[in-house]
Amino acid sequence: MAKIKENWLSILLAVVVILSMIFSALLWTNSLGYERVANNDSEKGSSQQTALQSVGDIYLPTQVILTNSDESQKLLYGQKKNLVLTLREEMQKWQLAGFRRVARNDSSDYLNYLRNDDSIMLSYPDAMATGIFNQTFSQSIDTEKISHINHIVIPLKGRDVVYLLDDDDFTVYRLNITQNANRSKIKKLVQKSGQRIDVDHKIVDNQPIVTYPHAIKLPVFAYQLSTQNIDNLTQNLLRSTNAAAFTVKKKGNDTTYMDGASKRLDYHRDTHTVSFNNYLGKDSTYQGASLYRHLYKRLTATGTTLDWMRFDSVSEKKQTIVFRSYVEGFPIFNEHGYGAVKLQANADGVERCQLSLFGLGVPLPIKKAQVKLPPSSVVYNELRQADKDKDVTGLRIGYRWDDQNAGRVVKLEPTYYVYYHGKWVAYQTLIDDK
């Protein structure tokens, strides 16, 4: 009887151990299942992004263009997986070497590389410091040989090479892929389903631009409005947890916060925008990648949500970078600067920052037909007829942030934007202002 009792105790102990192992396995399985769901959601394209944190995330290329064997070009967007992130992941496995310049100061030759047949091209919205490219794609290219990059061209056939293009002087460099050159995976990736738009590269006023030879249709997007608290933003920028230490002055719709004589923040309540100046009293010019890294740190210090934010433009002469919200690879514009942050380093002894309290939150479903846009040639003709074309130095498709709607929903509609007198303006605005 004692022996039977002893056996039952052993059996019960074994059952407890087995049940414990089963519950642990279930817990791990559920956790992994949740992680897979989260990862799948993050791969549904830019409409399902996760929070961006690193320098390499903010300074990613924004445009992906496929060039076919006949040199016809397709802008890729609306993919199930974020193409830029996936291409970066593949390129980080490569080892690039054998640096060689193959073109310079020849716009026709440069255009041929922009239209390189059977290739995929990643493009930045403006010149990117090579040091940041190295950090983003885990490379070690000599920054003294090429200081800036506008386009990355990856041929999908022939030699295992990559071309780096610099718009400034029409320079092209060729590098060999000496390790893990699995371009077939990239070719399969870009051939999968997704939205494609006919595009073509041209040189206009000695500047490469993407043109749209045919009328196109693009979707309308909607997002929940995200609003940053002015008190939190003030503490972030003035670098103080003691709000009582601020000097606060109100005049009309403007409120000025000052922390001593060195820091000043102006909050414009009617537009929900902020201007911040930090008077350092000492000039300090940043060169190359150091400017990009410094202003990235300044961006993160504002506390602005970075989920949709991307590098948009740079002026090293003015020590300025503009970060802008993007959707499906297209920039977002608003007359008050909603969804954008403009930062300037202290080239003249003053660091400056311009931003708004508003940003994009969670994407929302919207039942609206697509917007039809004309070919870019029609846009140029209308600008010419309005006598505005001479002062236009750039063209791109972007999304207009409509802030006329009441409530907490942001509606984004596509249209053409032109660079006019130092800023991006909806082309229809210029045409109507005759």
Side-chain angles (χ1 to χ4, degrees), residues 45-58:
S46 61
S47 61
Q48 292 288 341
Q49 298 186 43
T50 56
L52 303 175
Q53 300 294 336
S54 70
V55 170
D57 288 325
I58 295 296

Side-chain angles (χ1 to χ4, degrees), residues 69-128:
S69 56
D70 59 357
E71 294 190 0
S72 63
Q73 297 188 304
K74 305 287 185 180
L75 174 66
L76 307 183
Y77 78 100
Q79 308 290 315
K80 290 183 178 180
K81 288 188 176 182
N82 189 310
L83 270 181
V84 175
L85 294 178
T86 307
L87 290 170
R88 177 181 67 171
E89 183 179 346
E90 288 302 309
M91 290 178 63
Q92 286 176 334
K93 303 173 185 176
W94 297 353
Q95 183 174 332
L96 303 179
F99 195 94
R100 182 182 178 183
R101 189 176 69 196
V102 294
R104 188 176 186 182
N105 292 327
D106 188 330
S107 60
S108 297
D109 201 10
Y110 193 75
L111 191 59
N112 289 333
Y113 282 99
L114 287 171
R115 295 171 173 169
N116 194 81
D117 63 306
D118 280 318
S119 69
I120 194 75
M121 178 165 59
L122 300 173
S123 294
Y124 294 100
D126 204 353
M128 177 55 58

Side-chain angles (χ1 to χ4, degrees), residues 243-255:
F246 303 154
T247 300
V248 181
K249 296 181 180 180
K250 295 183 179 181
K251 184 178 180 181
N253 286 323
D254 296 340
T255 301

Side-chain angles (χ1 to χ4, degrees), residues 123-232:
S123 294
Y124 294 100
D126 204 353
M128 177 55 58
T130 304
I132 300 298
F133 167 86
N134 284 339
Q135 188 171 348
T136 303
F137 294 98
S138 302
Q139 301 299 325
S140 56
I141 296 170
D142 190 342
T143 58
E144 293 186 1
K145 291 183 178 180
I146 176 172
S147 59
H148 293 87
I149 298 168
N150 290 88
H151 314 279
I152 307 161
V153 177
I154 306 170
L156 299 177
K157 68 175 185 178
R159 295 177 58 183
D160 291 332
V161 298
V162 170
Y163 296 102
L164 303 180
L165 283 64
D166 182 0
D167 287 349
D168 189 44
D169 51 6
F170 300 136
T171 303
V172 180
Y173 293 90
R174 186 183 68 209
L175 294 97
N176 298 321
I177 310 174
T178 60
Q179 186 173 317
N180 300 318
N182 187 11
R183 292 180 299 163
S184 59
K185 186 175 181 179
I186 291 180
K187 190 170 185 178
K188 291 178 181 178
L189 176 68
V190 299
Q191 289 176 344
K192 289 184 178 180
S193 61
Q195 302 300 316
R196 303 185 177 203
I197 299 175
D198 290 334
V199 296
D200 185 28
H201 277 88
K202 294 185 181 298
I203 306 293
V204 179
D205 294 330
N206 215 37
Q207 180 68 31
I209 65 168
V210 175
T211 63
Y212 299 82
H214 310 296
I216 61 175
K217 291 182 179 180
L218 287 173
V220 176
F221 293 103
Y223 290 81
Q224 183 178 349
L225 181 67
S226 173
T227 306
Q228 188 174 8
N229 184 281
I230 183 59
D231 293 333
N232 293 338

Side-chain angles (χ1 to χ4, degrees), residues 276-278 298 342-345 348 350-354:
F276 172 70
N277 292 335
N278 185 12
R298 293 266 316 280
K342 182 179 181 180
L343 292 165
Q344 184 177 24
D348 58 353
V350 183
E351 287 191 335
R352 297 177 173 85
C353 175
Q354 296 177 5

